[in-house]
Amino acid sequence: MNLLSLFTREEPIAGLEITDTHLRVALLELKKEKDSSKKGVENLVTKVKFLAEEALPDNVVVNGSLQNTENFVKSLKNLLNKSEIKIRYVIASIPANDIYSRVFSFPKTIQGEKLEETMKLTMGFQLPLKPEDVYLDWQKLETSGQNEILLSAAFKKNINDFVFALDLAGLKTVAIEFHPISFCRALDAKNDETVLIKVRQKSSIGIFIVKNKVPLFVRVLPEQFSTKKLFDKELEKIVDFFESEKGKIGKIIDISETKIIDKFSEHPEIKKDNGKWLVSVGAALRGLTPRAEDNFISLMPIGTEQAYEYQKAIVFFEFVSNAAVGLAIFFIAAFTGVLILIMTIQQKVSKEVENIGSLPLPSDTAELENKARELNNLISATSDIVKILPRWSAILEELKTRIISGILPSSVNLPSPNGIINVSGIAQNRGQMNQFKKIMEDSSVFTEINLPLTNLEQKENIPFNMSFKLKNTIQIYE
């Protein structure tokens, strides 16, 4: 493990494209290169560090939904094993099949808190889905002279299935977006030109209308529109509808006809098939954005900065827990070795004493007996020390099994076996904090669980300080 990256919290974030047929991953890096036009000047340049793809078996992902977690995880691990670089964090881009996406326009006077309130009302009245069934997010669009918001929603079950599978494969999910948002980020397109892009998948056809690298219209046609006659008719309807609302479409192209931005176009893999890497590279470009500045749409229950910090905290907690177990094993082995050494010395001393007893008593017999007594006392004291060493690793392991999703521990204070143990951290919401307390109360190891109520007005990201004791201190000496 790279300890420097652990404590400075600097880890690369890859872009992962998920389709019905393939998984593709892209990892980018910022490198310093000398400016040929300015002597002694270095510029930060974005470079492709790693690209790879892996075919998915049939019926693993169907119409953008995960159907076979086991085979998905297996394929994802095969993909990650192709990289010599450890990939731990990803921004995942999923198909747009079950994604609701719409652009809303508001007067320029609606800004700041007013915009937040307006979007909440808009989601309540104009969303065609039940808010409790979906993850929602929105972002402000950088369009000239207009105040536009892109709103997106995805079913919670579909998102949770993907996050769970990614976690099983050893990946921490920083954000989830959908294909049009990702490929627009890496698309080489003229400003103010409206382009309709067709994306053919195994059992669907995506119709995405983009302008200024923003998806203004998203529609995925099911398999029955695969015939040319039906598809052309539906495409004509979409074009007529959009042009009546938003203006003329400049051109209609297939995804294979698109180009990636120039700084990546010379990479050998991208050069072979330019459009194939648009989604994964676009997601990876988002990974280079500082977490605090990432205001793009993420279809998860928490924001990208919180998700990244939460996943980092989990990794750190696992590291501390494993380190504690490792240290405990080391000290046990060390004391066992010392004990064996002392027992060996004791046997040798006993044998020497027996030999001395068979010899004529010398004048310093009394002195030798005193030294033998002192050595025996030392051996006895060493044995007692080994017995009274507490085994804290067992407590840390028990605590680790009690941590639930949404609970982010930041510190653990272990004063003494009979003392009060404290765990501090942040709970995503009050319901998860209460659930954490109940789970701790059900433990056969901990007792006197105390979780003071603080920050009652705070609904999310609630700091807490829980205290408890051990029910039976003997168990950490066994």
Side-chain angles (χ1 to χ4, degrees), residues 353-364:
V353 170
E354 290 177 3
N355 293 336
I356 291 171
S358 64
L359 297 173
L361 292 175
S363 56
D364 57 351

Side-chain angles (χ1 to χ4, degrees), residues 11-16 24-30 46-52 80 83-91 264 267 270 277 280-285 287-288:
E11 289 235 14
I13 301 174
L16 176 67
R24 295 187 181 98
V25 66
L27 185 63
L28 307 179
E29 63 177 342
L30 292 172
T46 307
K47 294 286 187 181
V48 176
K49 195 171 185 179
F50 175 71
L51 292 175
L80 297 174
S83 172
E84 296 179 357
I85 306 160
K86 176 66 175 178
I87 296 176
R88 193 197 307 271
Y89 298 93
V90 293
I91 290 173
F264 303 125
H267 186 278
I270 294 176
W277 299 101
S280 56
V281 170
L285 277 170
L288 294 179

Side-chain angles (χ1 to χ4, degrees), residues 40-56:
V41 176
E42 289 186 330
N43 297 324
L44 275 177
V45 180
T46 307
K47 294 286 187 181
V48 176
K49 195 171 185 179
F50 175 71
L51 292 175
E53 67 176 328
E54 179 75 15
L56 278 177

Side-chain angles (χ1 to χ4, degrees), residues 397-415:
E397 283 297 320
E398 173 66 16
L399 180 58
K400 182 179 176 182
T401 62
R402 300 282 160 184
I403 301 296
I404 63 172
S405 175
I407 297 298
L408 178 61
S410 58
S411 65
V412 180
N413 183 24
L414 305 168

Side-chain angles (χ1 to χ4, degrees), residues 103-105 139-141 143 146-150 216 246:
V103 175
F104 293 91
S105 297
Q139 72 180 59
K140 191 171 181 179
L141 302 181
T143 53
Q146 299 184 53
N147 188 12
E148 292 186 321
I149 301 296
L150 175 63
L216 300 181
K246 298 287 185 180

Side-chain angles (χ1 to χ4, degrees), residues 13-15 28 91-93 137 139 174-178 181-182 185-186 279-291 293-300 302-305:
I13 301 174
L28 307 179
I91 290 173
S93 187
D137 200 8
Q139 72 180 59
V174 177
I176 290 184
E177 56 186 25
F178 52 102
I181 291 182
S182 301
R185 202 177 289 120
V279 174
S280 56
V281 170
L285 277 170
R286 179 176 180 174
L288 294 179
T289 304
R291 297 300 93 214
E293 299 175 15
D294 187 342
N295 297 316
F296 303 113
I297 284 174
S298 178
L299 299 173
M300 292 178 67
I302 55 178
T304 58
E305 183 179 9

Side-chain angles (χ1 to χ4, degrees), residues 130-232:
K130 292 182 180 179
E132 62 269 21
D133 294 336
V134 296
Y135 290 130
L136 292 161
D137 200 8
W138 55 273
Q139 72 180 59
K140 191 171 181 179
L141 302 181
E142 300 297 330
T143 53
S144 58
Q146 299 184 53
N147 188 12
E148 292 186 321
I149 301 296
L150 175 63
L151 171 69
S152 297
F155 287 105
K156 289 181 178 179
K157 182 184 181 305
N158 196 29
I159 299 297
N160 292 339
D161 287 346
F162 278 118
V163 172
F164 177 71
L166 292 171
D167 187 63
L168 287 179
L171 291 174
K172 307 301 181 184
T173 309
V174 177
I176 290 184
E177 56 186 25
F178 52 102
H179 290 176
I181 291 182
S182 301
F183 73 63
C184 281
R185 202 177 289 120
L187 187 65
D188 182 14
K190 295 178 182 178
N191 290 335
D192 296 325
E193 183 182 29
T194 304
V195 181
L196 186 150
I197 300 174
K198 299 176 290 182
V199 181
R200 296 182 182 273
Q201 297 286 349
K202 185 177 180 181
S203 56
S204 62
I205 305 173
I207 304 295
F208 310 122
I209 303 176
V210 303
K211 182 180 181 181
N212 293 327
K213 296 195 172 185
V214 173
L216 300 181
F217 180 89
V218 175
R219 175 83 186 277
V220 179
L221 303 177
E223 192 172 7
Q224 57 261 37
F225 288 93
S226 59
T227 63
K228 188 177 187 307
K229 184 177 180 181
L230 284 176
F231 175 75
D232 289 345

Side-chain angles (χ1 to χ4, degrees), residues 262-329:
D262 284 343
K263 56 186 172 183
F264 303 125
S265 59
E266 294 304 314
H267 186 278
E269 287 297 320
I270 294 176
K271 208 169 184 179
K272 292 177 185 176
D273 191 341
N274 206 297
K276 183 170 73 171
W277 299 101
L278 275 171
V279 174
S280 56
V281 170
L285 277 170
R286 179 176 180 174
L288 294 179
T289 304
R291 297 300 93 214
E293 299 175 15
D294 187 342
N295 297 316
F296 303 113
I297 284 174
S298 178
L299 299 173
M300 292 178 67
I302 55 178
T304 58
E305 183 179 9
Q306 292 172 296
Y308 184 64
E309 294 301 321
Y310 178 73
Q311 300 291 7
K312 289 291 290 181
I314 290 176
V315 172
F316 181 75
F317 187 76
E318 289 175 352
F319 168 74
V320 172
S321 176
N322 293 335
V325 172
L327 285 173
I329 293 172

